[in-house]
């Protein structure tokens, strides 16, 4: 394959391994099918269609692909949950709701390389036996939806979709469905309800595990945009070669979205676990902003638990326990989990010493209070309550006991709700209170006004008010 | 929900609060607990509706035996139970089913903490205006907060403001600040009566229950939402602020506004009925009743009630109030003046079997040949409402031995026209308003007697007018359209001198021939059971609160059929 030339100023960092983002910011690249096919586009589809669907599944399983949407669940295993004696239609849904704060990767795939997604989607549909697939795209990506529609139309014209895909008799249609603007539509059962035309109220599990009872109560597989793209590369490289990318149990590449107080925020595709937090921040992102020090990192999207810059973590290396600092954490699923957080959606939010944790937490609490679907009691009432408390903390109207209340409210939500939003909204509070209790208590008695809060933060905080309904 | 062990369903061993029990596989955890008298607090769960699992009040600690490695044998204690591995995460008891060797703890620290947490959350935005809330006294929020709540509040922030006092339909009012968003009302409308007009708008703690724009909650079952609303968010325009619930006497009875005979609870106080609410009966009305039937009690409290016996002698203009003894004597003497063939009796499908039976005895006493009832046919719906608007047509047919109810009325009219019929006894009917009998026709009679609860034109034309008790004022039985024998219980004595028709007939028979051995309604039933085969072996008390199947009909109840289907699909518990 030709060496890829990137748009000046947007070249990938040397430590990146561009696979999914190979064509992002690429000189001379566009979203047309012709361009995609010039580089072997849809060849992997042809290859997959020659395999048995089960064999494609096995390949994905063997490659060790873990979902890039948040939970990191093995994709091949998930596909295997469709009941063996199933007689109902099977649906495949591409989750393009990308709404976890701090996450901005799927949008680039959709905007710059839509056919990669469509090819991955068709192969995956073939593997799970779906003849109807949906791309559920968030409302805020109108252009992305248009690009996908166009790409699907092109693919259909070339018989990559339709009644007789590539002349094999396999039948598949893909529909793009636009959401109406709610974070909870990213939760797979909420998404399914929304797709059915209802409010996106997540379903209880059991009994509504999507792989058995999903869309229209038929077996349904929901995968993230990036996950589906990986499927194409697994077919291309074979499970063995793919499995050599990254680290054991944490295979392949993944896109990290870095935001916050670094010099060069942006997206970086790495081999999973081959880059540490320190390399990511200091090398790839050009380090912290001038004169600032690292205070904390939220490593896997806003819901993941915050890591303190001066924290010590214990990781297993071989059968030894080793103590490491934040900069030595390998950016992979298992290591971040072992450090008490998670790789989540790949959104790395870097926080420097100019930020007050109360503001950070209030920002997130405002988001979660606004986005709770409101279906179940603990999350509905708790998320709003936490926001009301941190509102008072940032405005200096709280008392130290409020910090305790805040923490116990979080624990009263965690583990007691219908969907994982309950954890998503309570973990930031749990972790920030546990790790920054003194600072938060210090903020309660009005000292906050004197705290070094950056200008940007103050500006942002003003804007936050408009979010407050 | 029947507690009977279902045939063919395997049983599983389940430990609840330390005690082992057996339940049919598939039983929901909450129902299993209920069966062994362990109450799991709940708001959103309703056995007749789908389970969204949204309130989280029913969270309990749950455990299962540890997963076995391949080939590993389970270790069992001497009673054959495996050790339970308790899960750190609580589960909802309403939507999960019991499984072999499951453990449930409803009294553990974890379970208690969950309940306390959920209660606290439910109250943070709740107005706590119980003193002015109509639900007070039958509010699950009040009950559970006393039982499972913390007592004091840690909430120091402002409560959300939401719409109050919204008319969402002709009979229903909504207070959104009190709504705990359990979605029962939404599910009832959508699932049970196919009228999905309710829904939530906005999200998070700003979620509000609302009726769709340009729509109303106006279906004929709308008031059931008030019953199932666990709090005071939905109130009935008819009942709100009429009476504090704890002051009311509750009487189990049935609705008599159509042939379904929905089981009810009458709420009354000192001779006034304040409301009727449906009472569960899985053979009749499930847990529901129609609004029409529910509201059809106001006439009981009406100014137009007949309260005293009255007579009008020939030639007199106005009726005179007289004591019962005098009215009965007068009526008996009048009736005795006619030959058997000159007398006709029109009874009512609204009368109890006991009233009908005493009517039958009166008919026999006078050897009357022309006997009938007034038919009331209307429209059935797809749920409960029956086409027969009489509650006891089947009883009238059976007890009076009518071949074709309603078939004799024309002949009676003809007989009056021709002068062959000279005396007419009308029991609990108003012929002029409800049939094509006219004042002119009735004017041809030499003697007309009516019993009825309300003043009416037929009574106006009568020589003897007797105040007959209405449904809430009666003890007795009726047979509904599917052939089920059901009991009415007396909430209170009717106004003034009102009597039940069986008593009136008893006294008339007494006045005619001097003795009949009937004193109470039990005596009537006993004698009826002796004489009419269908009742053989029964007593009033055997009929019980839930009634019993008496006559075989092939009829089914659309609402129940639908619910059976949903039970079979596992959508509802039933
Ligand atoms: C509150 C919430 C929001 C979520 N939002 C997204 C999202 O925007 N995009 C996404 O791919 N997954 C999201 N998820 C995860 C999905 O539920 C689901 O696990 C995922 O799409 C599965 O894809 P994967 O296995 O390929 O990772 C969210 C989950 C929760 C609980
Ligand atoms: S946890 Fe929150 S977002 Fe999820 S169902 Fe409950 S209220 Fe909705
Ligand atoms: S109005 Fe009542 S029944 Fe309806 S959702 Fe609110 S609390 Fe539940
Ligand atoms: S269906 Fe008939 S019996 Fe039932 S409440 Fe309505 S009128 Fe009364
Ligand atoms: S009763 Fe509401 S969640 Fe179980």
């Amino acid at each position: 394959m030709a060496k890829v030339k990137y748009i000046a100023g947007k070249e990938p960092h040397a430590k990146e391994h561009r696979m999914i983002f190979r064509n992002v910011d690429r000189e001379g690249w566009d979203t047309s099918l012709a361009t995609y096919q010039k580089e072997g586009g849809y060849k992997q589809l042809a290859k997959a269609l020659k395999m048995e669907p089960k064999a494609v599944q096995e390949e994905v399983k063997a490659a060790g692909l873990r979902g890039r949407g948040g939970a990191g669940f093995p994709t091949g295993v998930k596909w295997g949950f469709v009941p063996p004696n199933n007689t109902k239609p099977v649906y495949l849904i591409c989750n393009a709701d990308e709404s976890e704060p701090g996450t901005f990767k799927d949008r680039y795939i959709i905007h710059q390389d839509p056919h990669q997604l469509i090819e991955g989607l068709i192969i995956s549909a073939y593997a799970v036996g779906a003849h109807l697939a949906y791309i559920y795209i968030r409302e805020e990506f109108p252009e992305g939806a248009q690009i996908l529609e166009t790409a699907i139309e092109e693919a259909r014209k070339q018989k990559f979709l339709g009644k007789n895909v590539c002349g094999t008799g396999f039948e598949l249609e893909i529909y793009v469905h636009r959401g109406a603007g709610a974070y909870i539509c990213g939760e797979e059962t909420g998404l399914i309800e929304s797709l059915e035309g209802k409010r996106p109220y997540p379903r209880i599990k059991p009994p509504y595990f999507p792989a058995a009872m999903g869309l229209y109560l038929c077996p349904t597989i929901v995968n993230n945009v990036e996950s589906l793209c990986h499927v194409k590369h697994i077919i291309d490289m074979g499970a063995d070669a793919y499995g050599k990318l990254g680290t054991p149990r944490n295979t392949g590449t993944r896109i990290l979205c870095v935001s916050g107080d670094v010099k060069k925020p942006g997206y970086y595709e790495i081999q999973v676990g081959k880059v540490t937090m320190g390399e990511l921040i200091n090398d790839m992102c050009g380090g912290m902003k001038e004169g600032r020090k690292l205070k904390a990192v939220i490593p896997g999207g806003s819901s993941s638990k915050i890591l303190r810059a001066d924290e010590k973590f214990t990781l297993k290396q071989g059968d030894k326990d080793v103590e490491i600092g934040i900069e030595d954490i390998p950016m992979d699923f298992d290591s971040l989990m072992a450090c008490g957080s998670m790789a989540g959606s790949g959104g790395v939010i870097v926080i420097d010493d100019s930020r007050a944790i109360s503001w950070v937490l209030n920002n997130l609490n405002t988001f979660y209070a606004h986005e709770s679907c409101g279906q179940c009691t603990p999350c509905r009432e708790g998320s709003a309550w936490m926001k009301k408390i941190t509102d008072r903390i940032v405005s200096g109207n709280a008392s130290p006991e409020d910090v305790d209340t805040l923490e116990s409210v979080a624990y009263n939500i965690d583990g007691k709700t219908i969907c994982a939003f309950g954890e998503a909204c309570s973990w930031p509070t749990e972790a920030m209170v546990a790790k920054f209790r003194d600072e938060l208590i210090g903020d309660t008695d009005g000292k906050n006004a004197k705290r070094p809060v950056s200008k940007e933060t103050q500006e942002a905080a003003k804007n936050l008010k408009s979010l407050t309904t | 929900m029947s507690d009977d062990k279902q045939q063919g369903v395997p049983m599983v061993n389940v430990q609840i609060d330390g005690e082992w029990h057996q339940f049919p596989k598939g039983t929901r955890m909450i129902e299993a607990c209920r069966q062994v008298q362990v109450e799991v607090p709940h708001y959103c769960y309703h056995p007749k509706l789908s389970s969204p699992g949204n309130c989280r009040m029913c969270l309990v600690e749950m455990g299962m035996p540890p997963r076995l490695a391949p080939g590993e044998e389970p270790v069992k204690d001497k009673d054959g139970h495996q050790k339970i591995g308790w899960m750190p995460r609580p589960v909802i008891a309403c939507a999960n089913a019991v499984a072999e060797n499951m453990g449930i703890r409803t009294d553990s620290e974890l379970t208690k903490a969950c309940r306390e947490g959920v209660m606290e959350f439910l109250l943070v935005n709740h107005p706590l205006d119980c003193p002015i809330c109509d639900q007070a006294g039958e509010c699950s929020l009040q009950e559970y907060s006393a039982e499972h709540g913390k007592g004091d509040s840690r909430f120091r922030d402002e409560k959300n403001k939401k719409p109050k006092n919204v008319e969402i339909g002709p009979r229903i009012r909504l207070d959104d600040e009190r709504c705990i968003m359990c979605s029962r009302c939404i599910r009832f409308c959508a699932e049970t009566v196919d009228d999905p007009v309710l829904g939530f708008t906005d999200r998070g703690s700003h979620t509000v229950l609302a009726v769709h724009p340009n729509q109303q909650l106006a279906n004929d079952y709308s008031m059931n939402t008030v019953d199932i609303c666990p709090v005071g968010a939905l109130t009935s325009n008819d009942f709100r602020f009429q009476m504090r619930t704890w002051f009311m006497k509750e009487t189990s009875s049935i609705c008599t506004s159509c042939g379904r005979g929905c089981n009810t609870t009458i709420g009354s106080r000192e001779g006034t009925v304040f409301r009727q609410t449906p009472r569960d009966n899985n053979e009749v009305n499930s847990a529901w009743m129609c609004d029409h039937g529910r509201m059809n009690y106001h006439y009981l409290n009406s100014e137009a009630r007949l309260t005293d016996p009255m007579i009008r002698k020939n030639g007199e203009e106005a009726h005179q109030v007289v004591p019962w003894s005098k009215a009965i004597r007068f009526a008996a003497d009048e009736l005795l003046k006619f030959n058997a063939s000159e007398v006709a009796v029109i009874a009512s499908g609204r009368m109890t079997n006991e009233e009908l039976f005493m009517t039958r005895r009166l008919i026999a006493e006078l050897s009357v040949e022309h006997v009938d009832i007034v038919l009331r046919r209307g429209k059935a719906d797809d749920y409960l409402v029956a086409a027969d608007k009489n509650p006891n047509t089947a009883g009238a047919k059976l007890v009076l031995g009518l071949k074709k109810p309603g078939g004799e009325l024309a002949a009676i009219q003809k007989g009056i026209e021709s002068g062959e019929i000279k005396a007419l006894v009308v029991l609990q009917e108003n012929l002029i308003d409800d049939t094509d009998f006219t004042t002119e026709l009735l004017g041809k009679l030499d003697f007309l007697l009516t019993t009825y609860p309300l003043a009416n034109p037929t009574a106006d034309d009568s020589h003897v007018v007797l105040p007959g008790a209405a449904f809430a004022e009666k003890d007795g039985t009726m047979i509904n359209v599917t052939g089920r024998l059901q009991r009415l219980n007396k909430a209170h004595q009717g106004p003034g001198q009102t009597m039940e028709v069986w008593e009136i007939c008893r006294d008339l028979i007494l006045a005619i021939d001097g003795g009949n051995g009937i004193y109470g309604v039990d005596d009537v039933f006993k004698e009826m059971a002796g004489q009419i085969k269908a009742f053989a072996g029964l007593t009033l008390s055997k009929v019980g609160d839930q009634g019993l199947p008496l006559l075989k009909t092939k009829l089914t109840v659309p609402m129940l059929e639908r619910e059976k289907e949903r039970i079979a699909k596992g959508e509802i518990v039933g």
Side-chain angles (χ1 to χ4, degrees):
Chain A
M1 254 186 261
K3 179 135 175 46
V4 178
K5 189 161 181 288
Y6 290 91
I7 297 167
K10 296 207 168 180
E11 297 88 352
H13 189 272
K15 287 189 174 160
E16 282 195 58
H17 182 106
R18 286 283 181 109
M19 181 168 79
I20 304 295
F21 265 20
R22 185 174 148 95
N23 303 321
V24 168
D25 299 332
R26 185 173 171 180
E27 197 62 72
W29 187 264
D30 63 31
T31 58
S32 70
L33 178 62
T35 301
Y36 185 65
Q37 280 191 293
K38 251 188 264 165
E39 289 237 340
Y42 289 101
K43 289 244 167 73
Q44 308 318 321
L45 171 61
K47 186 171 170 188
L49 288 172
K50 291 203 186 84
M51 300 163 68
E52 282 298 313
K54 197 86 210 151
V56 179
Q57 273 197 31
E58 286 307 321
E59 204 67 16
V60 171
K61 210 187 270 179
L65 174 62
R66 293 171 70 168
R68 304 296 196 244
F73 193 84
T75 304
V77 176
K78 187 195 282 192
W79 290 2
F81 290 155
V82 174
N85 51 356
N86 171 58
T87 53
K88 295 180 181 172
V90 177
Y91 298 105
L92 176 63
I93 298 172
C94 168
N95 189 343
D97 196 59
E98 186 161 66
S99 40
E100 175 86 355
T103 318
F104 43 88
K105 57 190 181 66
D106 298 342
R107 71 186 70 189
Y108 291 102
I109 299 171
I110 292 165
H111 282 131
Q112 301 193 28
D113 204 4
H115 284 288
Q116 179 186 200
L117 170 60
I118 293 167
E119 186 175 8
L121 190 51
I122 302 172
I123 298 171
S124 306
Y126 175 71
V128 301
H131 300 291
L132 205 51
Y134 293 90
I135 301 175
Y136 188 100
I137 187 166
R138 66 181 301 189
E139 195 243 357
E140 294 85 342
F141 295 167
E143 208 189 328
Q146 195 48 59
I147 292 169
L148 285 170
E149 295 279 14
T150 308
I152 288 169
E153 197 43 52
E154 284 179 301
R156 191 178 290 122
K157 281 212 183 94
Q158 294 293 314
K159 299 253 183 313
F160 297 129
L161 286 172
K163 292 231 175 293
N164 188 8
V165 174
C166 298
T168 61
F170 174 61
E171 181 181 346
L172 179 69
E173 271 312 328
I174 301 178
Y175 293 108
V176 176
H177 184 99
R178 290 185 61 195
Y183 172 59
I184 199 58
C185 291
E187 195 281 338
E188 54 188 4
T189 59
L191 185 158
I192 287 170
E193 285 280 301
S194 168
L195 204 48
E196 289 184 4
K198 300 182 240 162
R199 280 170 75 85
Y201 278 166
R203 297 173 174 174
I204 49 173
K205 289 151 265 181
Y208 301 106
F209 292 110
M213 284 205 263
L215 185 63
Y216 310 120
L217 299 186
C218 298
T220 303
I221 297 295
V222 183
N223 275 126
N224 171 259
V225 171
E226 189 189 342
S227 311
L228 291 168
C229 292
H230 278 280
V231 170
K232 173 199 145 151
H233 298 280
I234 291 170
I235 297 304
D236 181 17
M237 304 169 71
D240 277 352
Y242 181 94
K244 291 204 176 74
L245 291 175
T247 52
R249 281 181 44 84
N250 298 266
T251 58
T253 65
R254 86 171 297 177
I255 302 147
L256 297 179
C257 317
V258 186
S259 60
D261 301 323
V262 291
K263 286 210 184 88
K264 286 199 316 193
Y267 37 78
Y268 299 91
E269 184 170 1
I270 60 161
Q271 288 194 44
V272 184
K274 287 277 173 72
V275 167
T276 63
M277 184 83 82
E279 289 170 310
L280 178 70
I281 294 173
N282 298 325
D283 304 347
M284 303 175 84
C285 298
M288 302 299 291
K289 286 182 185 162
E290 240 12 90
R292 311 268 188 82
K293 285 214 311 269
L294 181 68
K295 177 170 181 169
V297 179
I298 299 173
S302 60
S303 315
S304 59
K305 289 188 175 175
I306 196 166
L307 303 172
R308 246 182 105 118
D310 55 4
E311 236 180 298
K312 289 286 170 248
F313 307 96
T314 310
L315 281 191
K316 272 225 163 358
Q317 272 177 9
D319 43 11
K320 271 207 320 275
D321 282 345
V322 289
E323 196 171 81
I324 58 166
I326 192 168
E327 298 197 344
D328 298 325
I329 302 174
M331 295 304 283
D332 65 56
F333 296 98
D334 293 343
S335 303
L336 283 163
M337 181 102 83
C339 295
S341 188
M342 62 175 180
S345 61
V348 181
I349 303 167
V350 183
I351 297 159
D352 74 21
D353 58 350
S354 73
R355 313 282 172 183
I357 281 301
S358 52
W359 284 97
V360 176
L361 183 54
N362 188 233
N363 181 328
L364 294 180
N365 283 352
T366 304
F367 171 78
Y368 287 113
H370 190 254
E371 294 297 337
S372 163
C373 84
Q375 187 186 193
C376 63
T377 310
C379 167
R380 175 183 67 234
E381 303 301 339
S383 60
W385 190 359
M386 291 193 301
K387 176 202 172 269
K388 285 177 180 173
I389 295 175
T390 51
D391 272 350
R392 283 192 290 112
I393 296 180
V394 294
S395 60
N397 290 315
S399 62
E401 299 81 72
D402 281 315
V403 176
D404 296 334
T405 304
L406 179 64
E407 186 179 36
S408 97
V409 169
Y411 281 105
N412 281 345
I413 304 170
D414 187 356
K416 299 170 182 71
T417 58
I418 292 179
C419 84
F421 186 107
E423 284 74 49
C425 77
S426 54
W427 284 350
T429 291
E430 286 175 17
M432 289 188 208
V433 173
K435 298 181 183 183
F436 295 92
R437 186 183 295 273
D438 293 345
E439 183 182 329
L440 286 168
I441 289 176
D443 280 354
T444 55
D445 54 7
K447 282 188 203 148
N448 181 62
K450 282 169 262 140
R451 283 196 65 77
V453 177
S454 70
K455 270 222 169 63
E456 296 117 280
T457 310
Q458 281 176 1
E459 278 309 307
K462 271 189 217 140
N463 293 337
L464 276 184
K465 287 254 154 54
S466 65
L467 259 182
T468 317
T469 50
Chain B
M1 176 68 210
S2 104
D3 293 359
D4 299 348
K5 291 177 181 157
Q6 293 138 269
Q7 292 291 306
V9 178
M11 304 295 280
V12 292
N13 295 291
V14 179
Q15 191 200 64
I16 298 177
D17 295 338
E19 302 253 353
W20 287 94
H21 305 272
Q22 287 202 323
F23 304 100
K25 199 172 170 218
T27 307
R28 304 266 178 108
M29 291 163 74
I30 198 170
E31 292 293 339
C33 291
R34 195 186 56 80
Q35 285 176 27
V36 296
Q37 278 77 50
V38 173
E39 147 95 353
V40 178
H42 56 278
Y43 289 111
C44 69
Y45 172 74
H46 190 291
K48 311 281 185 188
L49 303 174
S50 64
S51 307
N54 62 29
C55 74
R56 317 306 283 178
M57 191 62 199
C58 68
L59 284 168
V60 291
E61 188 173 0
M62 188 266 276
M64 291 297 290
R67 202 167 289 192
L68 297 177
E72 192 185 342
E73 280 295 311
V75 186
K76 297 200 169 170
D77 66 15
K78 62 177 186 336
D79 300 321
H81 304 303
Q82 282 176 265
K83 197 171 140 67
I84 294 168
W86 295 96
M87 312 266 179
R89 227 184 133 95
V91 301
I92 48 173
C94 63
N96 288 301
V98 292
E100 178 56 28
N101 216 105
M102 179 188 267
I104 301 172
R105 285 174 173 163
T106 72
D107 55 359
S108 66
E109 286 308 311
L110 175 65
T111 304
K112 279 189 205 148
C114 288
R115 290 177 184 172
E116 227 177 79
V118 172
M119 268 326 300
E120 183 179 38
F121 284 138
L122 283 173
L123 293 175
V124 293
N125 277 306
H126 197 82
L128 296 185
D129 54 359
C130 308
I132 56 156
C133 177
D134 216 41
Q135 190 83 2
E138 50 187 10
C139 172
S140 312
L141 201 59
Q142 270 188 334
E143 281 161 39
Y144 292 158
S145 102
E147 214 170 313
H148 308 290
K150 268 202 230 284
D152 64 337
S153 170
R154 304 186 291 169
F155 188 72
R156 313 246 170 284
D157 297 274
E158 253 182 61
K159 289 183 190 268
N160 293 337
K161 291 270 170 296
K162 288 188 186 175
K164 289 181 88 75
N165 211 354
V166 194
E167 291 277 354
I168 57 168
R171 296 175 287 282
I172 311 286
R173 208 174 282 258
L174 165 69
D175 181 329
D176 259 311
E177 287 186 354
R178 291 186 187 140
C179 171
I180 58 164
M181 287 151 262
C182 72
S183 79
R184 277 181 171 194
C185 55
I186 299 175
R187 283 175 280 139
F188 173 80
C189 290
E191 299 169 7
T192 313
V193 292
D194 309 302
D195 187 31
V197 291
L198 296 181
F200 288 128
T201 66
D202 284 321
R203 64 189 185 208
S205 80
H206 300 284
T207 301
V208 287
L209 177 75
V211 65
H212 277 264
N214 307 320
Q215 302 260 353
Q216 287 209 306
L217 173 54
N219 69 62
D220 194 24
Y221 293 85
S222 69
M223 296 172 85
N224 292 288
T225 59
V226 176
D227 305 328
I228 58 177
C229 179
V231 292
L234 294 176
T235 48
S236 119
N237 285 340
D238 188 52
F239 176 69
R240 69 200 308 258
F241 305 134
Q242 296 304 307
M243 180 51 63
R244 278 302 196 183
T245 54
W246 56 84
F247 287 135
M248 283 193 303
K249 174 182 165 194
E250 297 198 325
T251 309
S252 296
S253 193
I254 58 173
C255 172
T256 55
S257 295
C258 88
R260 182 68 55 221
C262 292
N263 289 207
T264 60
T265 302
I266 299 171
S268 66
R269 182 166 191 213
E270 290 170 3
T272 303
V273 173
F274 287 95
R275 69 174 177 189
Q276 295 186 86
T277 45
R279 188 163 53 81
D280 288 7
N281 189 328
N282 283 343
E283 303 298 329
V284 182
N285 57 313
S286 183
W288 322 115
M289 73 189 294
C290 79
D291 289 2
H292 166 75
R294 183 194 299 252
M295 301 269 281
N296 195 13
Y297 70 88
H298 287 281
Y299 73 91
L300 300 179
N301 308 334
S302 149
E303 289 285 309
R305 283 301 294 266
L306 294 172
T307 51
D308 294 276
M310 294 185 284
I311 58 174
R312 192 190 61 200
K313 300 208 170 118
N314 268 336
E316 283 177 8
E317 267 294 299
H319 287 100
Q320 308 261 319
V321 170
V322 292
W324 269 107
S325 53
K326 200 157 170 204
I328 293 287
R329 188 70 260 157
F330 177 71
D333 290 347
E334 287 294 315
L335 286 171
L336 285 169
K337 289 181 187 159
F338 303 99
N339 292 328
S341 64
E342 291 170 337
V343 183
V345 173
I346 298 178
S348 174
R350 291 164 164 179
M351 284 156 56
T352 62
N353 294 323
E354 293 69 16
E355 290 176 319
L356 289 159
F357 182 74
M358 290 309 287
T359 306
R360 168 181 157 131
R361 291 216 19 201
L362 178 68
I363 289 165
E365 198 64 45
L366 297 169
S367 312
V368 174
E369 285 157 21
H370 297 292
V371 180
D372 207 351
I373 62 164
V374 174
L375 287 189
R376 285 193 170 74
R377 304 291 301 180
K379 271 214 167 77
D381 70 5
D382 294 333
Y383 309 99
L384 291 173
V385 175
D388 186 353
K389 303 302 170 195
N390 277 332
N392 198 23
T393 306
K397 194 171 170 209
L398 176 70
V399 176
L400 296 180
L402 302 177
K403 289 213 173 58
K404 189 166 164 274
E408 187 66 18
L409 287 185
I412 295 175
Q413 281 180 340
K414 252 207 207 123
I416 299 172
E417 196 69 58
S418 69
E420 279 165 44
I421 293 174
K422 297 195 165 65
L424 180 62
V425 174
V426 181
L427 302 173
Q428 302 296 90
E429 288 290 356
N430 165 13
L431 296 182
I432 291 180
D433 286 341
D434 291 0
T435 70
D436 51 7
F437 278 77
T438 59
T439 296
E440 274 139 52
L441 185 72
L442 295 178
K444 299 201 157 117
L445 290 163
D446 290 343
F447 180 70
L448 176 59
L449 178 151
T450 345
T451 76
Y452 206 68
L454 293 170
N456 71 83
T458 313
D460 237 14
D461 293 343
S462 302
H463 300 92
V464 176
V465 179
L466 304 175
F471 72 90
E473 300 144 14
K474 291 181 189 186
D475 277 315
T477 59
M478 292 187 178
I479 304 168
N480 80 356
V481 284
T482 57
R484 194 170 187 84
L485 182 66
Q486 307 199 91
R487 269 189 84 145
L488 285 81
N489 287 301
K490 197 175 195 154
H492 46 70
Q493 174 67 34
Q497 307 298 313
T498 305
M499 285 222 273
E500 296 173 56
V501 174
W502 68 265
E503 297 174 299
I504 298 173
C505 292
R506 173 196 65 193
D507 292 354
L508 276 172
I509 296 165
L510 213 62
I512 289 166
D513 97 333
N516 55 31
I518 297 278
Y519 303 99
V521 73
D522 294 280
D523 302 325
V524 182
F525 195 93
K526 208 195 269 163
E527 201 170 313
M528 184 165 75
Q531 288 186 26
I532 300 175
K533 224 173 77 200
F535 295 103
L538 294 177
T539 62
L540 250 191
S541 65
K542 274 192 193 158
V543 179
D545 260 2
Q546 293 279 299
L548 37 86
L550 189 81
L551 307 177
K552 278 213 167 59
T553 66
K554 290 222 168 66
L555 299 175
T556 54
V557 187
M559 178 81 91
L560 300 185
E561 292 306 301
R562 268 253 296 249
E563 291 190 348
K564 274 182 212 152
E565 258 171 52
R566 298 188 70 204
I567 294 168
K569 282 194 214 149
E571 286 174 14
I572 61 171
V573 166

